[in-house]
Each structure stands twice: as C-alpha cells, then as structure tokens.
Amino acid sequence: MTVADLRRVARIGGHLPIADYGLAGDGNGCALIGRDSVIEWLCVPRFDCPPVLCGLLDPYRGGAFRIVAEDVVAGAQTYVDDTAVTVTTVRTDHGVAEVTDAFLLCSDADLRREAYVGRGELLRRIRVVSGRVAVHPDLALRSPARRSRFWAGVLLQPQAPGRVELRLFVDPALDVDQPVVLESGQQADVVLRWAPGSGRLHRAEWPRDLAPTVSAWRRWAAGIDYDGPQRDLVRRSALTLKLLDYTQNGAIIAAATSSLPEEIGGARNWDYRYTWVRDAAFSVYAMRRIGLPDEADRFLSWVLDAVERDGAPRVMYSLDGLPPPDERLDSGLAGYRGSRPVRWGNAAAGQTQHDVYGEIIDCAYQWARAGNHLDGQLWSHLVQFAELAARSARRPDHGIWEVRTAGKPFTYSVAMCQVALDRTARLSRDLNLPCDAPRLAAQAEELRRLVVQEAWSERAQSLTDQMGGDELDASVLALPLRRVIDAAHPRMVATTRAVEARLGAGDGLLYRYLPNCSPDGLAGHEGAFLLCSFWLVDNLAAQGDLDRAMQLYDSLCQRAGPLGLLPEEIDPNSGEFLGNYPQAFSHIGVISSGINLVRCLQNCGQRRGNSP
C-alpha cells in the first residue's frame, strides 16, 4: 500500500459507502472497519448478539470505535495475504498512519477442526508511516454503559441486561483520556476484550503477538484447491465464507449485518445474521468443491442435529439451532442513509419454504458421495424429509425469495422437492439403504416433467416463477445446477435468453424478479441480485457460450470492493453496493462459477484435443 493508493474519504450524511468497509472476525463474532479506520459494526461474542457498535445504521446514535483523533481525508484498505487481518492506511492533514485490525486467535489454533479458536479480543495496532498523527482510542457504545478506569485502560459495563462487558486495554504509549501525538516510525497497540475472565493484561504482553493469528489463517487457506479464473478473488471468497462460519458448531450465517437496505431510503431491510439452510447448503457445496470438506461436514452434522430436535427442518436457525428471535423494529436508529426500519430478528423464520427438503438431502448426498457414513437414524430422517417433499411439492409456499404475500406454487420450490426425491432414491440404490427407491425415483421424474411442462409459458417463452404462471424469476437459472433440467434443454436455453432480456439491469446484472409484475407484499424496489448473474454465467457456459460466460464472470468479479468483498445487490445505475454485506450468496457465486468455468474449459480443451 502506498500513499498513491489512498482515495478521498467521503461520507454521505455521516455514512461511508457500503463498499468502504472491511470484515474482520474469528468465526464467533465480527467487525466492519471503515476505510477511515473507524469501526462502526461490532457483534461479539457472537454474530447474532445485539451489536455492541452499530454506527453503520446510525452514525450519531449507533456507536463507533475510533483510534485516529484527527479527520481522515483519504484512506485505503487491504488484507494481509490469505488472512482475515485488515490493514487500513489513512492520511490526515499532518501524516499517514497504518491501522492493523485483527480478532486474535489462540496459539496453534486450527480453523479446520477446533471450535474455540478465538481469544475474545480485538487488536488495533497503529503505526505512523510519515509525519505525525494524533492517536486516541475512543470507544463509544450504542447502549449506555458504566465506565470505570483501571490501571491499563477502561472497563465498560453496559446497563442493558445481557450485553457483554468490555475491557479496553491501552498501550503505555497512549492515554485513554486524551490524544497523544505519535511520530513517524512509532506504533502502539489497543486491545478490546470481551471474553470472560479477561481482566488482566500484563505490560510484558505489549506489543501483542499477531503472528499466531496470521499463521492460523494461512494454514487454513493452504487447503484451498483452486487454479482457475479470478484465482485471488476465489480464495478471498473462501476466506469470507469462513469468516461467516460459526466455528463452534458449523452454522453459517447469510451475512455479517442487519438492515443494510436493498434500496437506499427503502424498507427492504432485513436481519441476515442467522443460518438459512438454503444459503448454508450452497456455501458448503461451494467449499467442498475447492478442497474444504470439513466445513461441509460440520454444517450437515449441525443442521441434522437441529432437525432431529425439532422433528422437521426449519427455514432458518439461530446459531444455537433454535428459531431466530421474533422480528422487531428498532425506532431508535435512523437506518443506513435513512433507510427505515431497522430490523432485528427475521419473520421469514415462520414461513413455509418447501425447498428446504431438497437443500438438506442434497447436502447429505454430497456428504455420502465423499465417503462419509449415513447411519440408520440419519437415513430414516432423510427418507422422512423425502416423503414430506413428495406431499408438499404442489402446495403453495413463500419461495426462495421469501415473499410476504400469500403463498404460491413456486417453480424453484417444486424443483427442490424433485431434488429431495431424486437424491434419496440415488442414495438408496448406490448405498443399498432401505426405502422404496423406485417409487421415489418415479415421483422425482413426475416432478421433473411438471416443472418442464407446467412452469413453461408459451407467451413468455420461458420457465416462469410458478406453476401455470407467466412472470419471470431468475431463480429458475439455478435448476440446471441442481440437475433438475439440463442447461442445454431447448426450454432452458430459451429461459436463459428470456431472463437475460426481461430481468436484465444492464452490464450482465439481473433482477431476481420485477416486483411490479410479481408482487411480493413490499413497497419499493431493489437492486440487481449478484448471485443471479453468477447463475447466468453457469448457464451460458453449459450452453457452449463460453466466451460470453467468461466475459460476464470477469465483469462481475471486477465489481468486488478493494478488499475482494461483495454485497447482496448492486444498484445498476450507480454501481453502489446494496443489501447486507458481505453476503455469502455472492461469494458462493464467485466460487461455484469459477469451478464451473474451469470444468467447461477443460472439456473444451479435451474435445479440441480429440478432434482430427
């Protein structure tokens, strides 16, 4: 990072652009660090806890953690290679400083297998690169807290029940009460601790040792097996998914944040800090394909435990495998750039979404094909889910996009019920497991025909959002990926063209659907949904249009922020990031489409090599 790389820092109404934040974490909690070095989102000790800091949603009342005591005029961010350690370089009127942020990991931590790898502390290290910079560790919480001084810093005890107690330890070179000017070459550490029993930090422990944390991340990243297009971004996407993976049990959250808007000033603001079976299933599928099977195995074990406890799968879970809290509106926060309401919890947890059966069984199918054992009890649950899928397939539900209207017979849901039946029948035949495999296979084939025939609209010349419908929905682009219909099937080729033409937002971006044509019970509009564009890449590649698929893939990857992070959605007009961030779905798209392109390129090379 050089001074020439620094870009002007500009806030709008006190807010940075969403793309101007880096993600740090330890697989338990996380923080978002702005390009001006201010931390404005901190959820510890767990992702789904009430945020300690949420200035991201209200810069005046949400709280923030500052370390530079001057106005930052320019900044840039990078990650230490193959780690979750962020480095933010900032320029003030008097000098340039480098702020390194890391959730410290235990010595010899193994991110692949150990549940408790985090130390429960955040290190902020500031080093003056040139000139002089005023430094003051200033931690302002959202919730009122009693502050008391101790020999090495400040104890903060929030008054709200259940909020985590924090200790801020300050380098001997700094003063917790007032700014201290550091000269070029000088550095200082600040440590925020929330782990129980974290009351002591000896002077001999300064400066803090960052090496074990860097080593642990690099050991994990060494297992990434990918050598294809956009290699660096694929690796960063894998690291980002790992940052969203709750290490204590394998649950994977959909995104690190809540209530970042899908439309600036709009009401489509949701809490994504929970585990959707669908999102996590896509995540583990992507990670397994690049040499990271442990995450897949731990998630499957976790979700099946949760399902066994409840007797049936839920749409989403808290990190404990329980129902998420009821959705509530927070009138005390203004929302990101005035986008209200701010929400905690998610009402979609109570919806009916039939695709969940297929997501779980497809995960188990991958797991078993990798050589893992399906015991009798687990198998009986999977067969039960397949039977539920057979009974539910033709019933209305709220679909993959979780509409807040009455249910409909959504095509994607029917297709995923087909997946549930098909994979169960295959497992039974391949592994000699007991069930009525011929009947399940016949039911799967019947559902396949149902999708191809009844979801097809002659008027639209496309598979549509629901059985007997006429409106388009980009989720049907996922059907070839789930082996429901071949990408080269004439109706799928036509569907790809129709979706690209009618849901296209320009430059390869796609809307999920058009709310004015397919009412979803919500006011306003939303941005283009990145995962849908990656599905378009996959279909183009499988249909033989490899050059255009590569061009689209590269253009989508170029939309990643400076740190290689992607949001849920993009504003097609401005290119701004929208929705919760970073979003697992988008990074899944980077990985899966990269793998699919590698395979298509290999197959193309083999065909050329075999030609006379």
Side-chain angles (χ1 to χ4, degrees):
M1 186 73 66
T2 67
V3 174
D5 296 319
L6 306 185
R7 295 181 293 115
R8 179 174 172 267
V9 172
R11 287 180 174 262
I12 301 174
H15 295 272
L16 287 175
I18 294 172
D20 277 6
Y21 289 94
L23 177 70
D26 61 358
N28 294 299
C30 66
L32 290 184
I33 304 108
R35 192 162 54 85
D36 56 1
S37 78
V38 181
I39 294 179
E40 295 180 284
W41 182 262
L42 179 65
C43 284
V44 292
R46 294 192 346 179
F47 298 117
D48 57 355
C49 286
V52 173
L53 304 172
C54 55
L56 187 68
L57 301 178
D58 191 323
Y60 306 106
R61 288 176 287 183
F65 188 3
R66 292 175 170 81
I67 193 167
V68 176
E70 305 176 49
D71 289 337
V72 171
V73 297
Q77 288 182 304
T78 187
Y79 278 111
V80 176
D81 287 346
D82 277 346
T83 77
V85 178
T86 66
V87 179
T88 307
T89 304
V90 296
R91 177 166 59 83
T92 72
D93 288 337
H94 305 100
V96 174
E98 187 179 85
V99 180
T100 300
D101 285 287
F103 279 59
L104 296 183
L105 305 182
C106 300
S107 298
D108 301 321
D110 185 345
L111 284 158
R112 286 185 177 274
R113 294 177 177 83
E114 292 180 13
Y116 296 92
V117 296
R119 296 172 59 97
E121 64 181 54
L122 167 66
L123 167 68
R124 310 208 72 193
R125 173 170 293 164
I126 184 165
R127 181 177 68 88
V128 178
V129 176
S130 64
R132 55 177 59 186
V133 175
V135 178
H136 180 215
D138 179 16
L139 178 61
L141 305 184
R142 185 207 173 183
S143 302
R146 185 168 66 88
R147 300 172 66 95
S148 55
R149 288 289 306 273
F150 64 97
W151 64 272
V154 179
L155 171 66
L156 298 100
Q157 297 172 296
Q159 297 174 10
R163 300 298 172 92
V164 64
E165 184 176 275
L166 301 165
R167 286 178 172 83
L168 182 64
F169 296 86
V170 178
D171 193 292
L174 301 178
D175 190 323
V176 74
D177 294 321
Q178 59 187 354
V180 172
V181 175
L182 298 185
E183 305 283 349
S184 179
Q186 291 184 304
Q187 75 172 37
D189 285 359
V190 176
V191 172
L192 180 65
R193 277 189 170 181
W194 52 88
S198 59
R200 296 185 64 81
L201 192 61
H202 298 286
R203 295 295 190 195
E205 296 182 75
W206 299 97
R208 303 296 287 137
D209 188 2
L210 189 55
T213 298
V214 171
S215 296
W217 280 109
R218 286 180 171 167
R219 284 195 302 273
W220 184 85
I224 301 172
D225 181 14
Y226 177 82
D227 188 15
Q230 299 289 340
R231 180 178 182 274
D232 289 345
L233 186 60
V234 168
R235 293 182 69 85
R236 177 50 55 189
S237 291
L239 283 154
T240 303
L241 291 181
K242 185 61 178 175
L243 277 169
L244 302 177
D245 178 11
Y246 187 50
T247 60
Q248 294 189 29
N249 58 24
I252 301 175
I253 60 172
T257 57
S258 175
S259 298
L260 288 181
E262 297 173 7
E263 177 187 30
I264 298 298
R268 296 168 181 257
N269 319 316
W270 316 108
D271 191 347
Y272 275 11
R273 300 170 303 141
Y274 307 107
T275 297
W276 274 253
V277 172
R278 175 191 313 115
D279 298 41
F282 274 109
S283 295
V284 297
Y285 179 58
M287 296 182 90
R288 183 181 290 282
R289 297 175 79 192
I290 56 171
L292 303 171
D294 294 331
E295 285 70 23
D297 295 345
R298 295 182 71 237
F299 165 73
L300 182 61
S301 175
W302 173 83
V303 74
L304 290 172
D305 284 347
V307 167
E308 184 176 5
R309 182 175 54 248
D310 295 342
R314 296 182 182 273
V315 173
M316 72 178 81
Y317 296 89
S318 71
L319 298 180
D320 292 328
L322 302 173
D326 292 338
E327 186 174 298
R328 66 180 181 87
L329 309 186
D330 190 334
S331 60
L333 295 172
Y336 179 82
R337 291 175 58 183
S339 304
R340 290 179 171 172
V342 168
R343 289 181 171 91
W344 309 116
N346 199 304
Q351 288 187 345
T352 300
Q353 297 176 24
H354 299 320
D355 70 295
V356 68
Y357 305 118
E359 309 292 2
I360 290 176
I361 295 176
D362 202 26
C363 256
Y365 179 73
Q366 298 167 45
W367 188 67
R369 283 178 60 87
N372 294 290
H373 175 63
L374 293 175
D375 62 39
Q377 185 174 10
L378 173 54
W379 175 244
S380 67
H381 282 301
L382 296 179
V383 173
Q384 178 188 5
F385 300 160
E387 299 290 357
L388 287 170
R391 292 196 295 271
S392 303
R394 292 172 174 80
R395 298 173 183 170
D397 74 344
H398 295 93
I400 182 176
W401 306 133
E402 302 180 341
V403 298
R404 298 205 171 188
T405 57
K408 302 175 184 177
F410 284 109
T411 301
Y412 183 84
S413 298
V414 176
M416 289 309 297
C417 288
Q418 189 276 339
V419 168
L421 293 163
D422 174 77
R423 303 303 189 269
T424 305
R426 289 175 185 269
L427 283 171
S428 176
R429 290 195 302 262
D430 295 347
L431 302 179
N432 196 29
L433 294 169
C435 79
D436 190 351
R439 176 176 59 84
L440 295 182
Q443 290 174 321
E445 186 57 34
E446 183 182 351
L447 287 182
R448 191 195 311 274
R449 288 196 300 269
L450 185 72
V451 168
V452 174
Q453 294 173 8
E454 294 194 23
W456 174 260
S457 166
E458 284 293 334
R459 183 186 70 81
Q461 283 295 292
S462 175
L463 296 173
T464 57
D465 61 340
Q466 57 182 300
M467 299 293 107
D470 278 317
E471 300 302 333
L472 299 193
D473 188 318
S475 66
V476 298
L477 294 178
L479 302 193
L481 311 181
R482 313 314 288 269
R483 302 179 186 177
V484 176
I485 179 173
D486 192 279
H489 190 289
R491 288 192 169 181
M492 197 63 227
V493 173
T495 296
T496 303
R497 293 172 181 162
V499 167
E500 189 174 11
R502 293 182 55 190
L503 298 183
D507 296 327
L509 296 175
L510 294 177
Y511 295 109
R512 295 185 290 180
Y513 53 91
L514 301 177
N516 58 325
C517 298
S518 303
D520 55 13
L522 300 165
H525 300 278
E526 63 181 30
F529 200 85
L530 277 173
L531 180 62
C532 297
S533 291
F534 286 110
W535 288 341
L536 177 58
V537 170
D538 299 332
N539 279 269
L540 292 173
Q543 291 162 10
D545 198 347
L546 195 52
D547 288 342
R548 200 153 71 91
M550 285 290 298
Q551 291 171 2
L552 176 56
Y553 182 67
D554 288 340
S555 73
L556 293 171
C557 291
Q558 287 166 9
R559 291 184 178 274
L563 288 169
L565 302 179
L566 286 164
E568 180 182 25
E569 299 181 2
I570 296 283
D571 184 325
N573 297 315
S574 66
E576 283 187 280
F577 286 9
L578 295 172
N580 285 305
Y581 169 88
Q583 171 73 229
F585 256 169
S586 300
H587 289 281
I588 291 163
V590 172
I591 295 171
S592 293
S593 291
I595 288 289
N596 289 335
L597 287 170
V598 167
R599 291 183 176 178
C600 288
L601 288 167
Q602 290 172 342
N603 291 337
C604 182
Q606 291 169 357
R607 288 195 296 270
R608 288 173 180 169
N610 293 331
S611 62

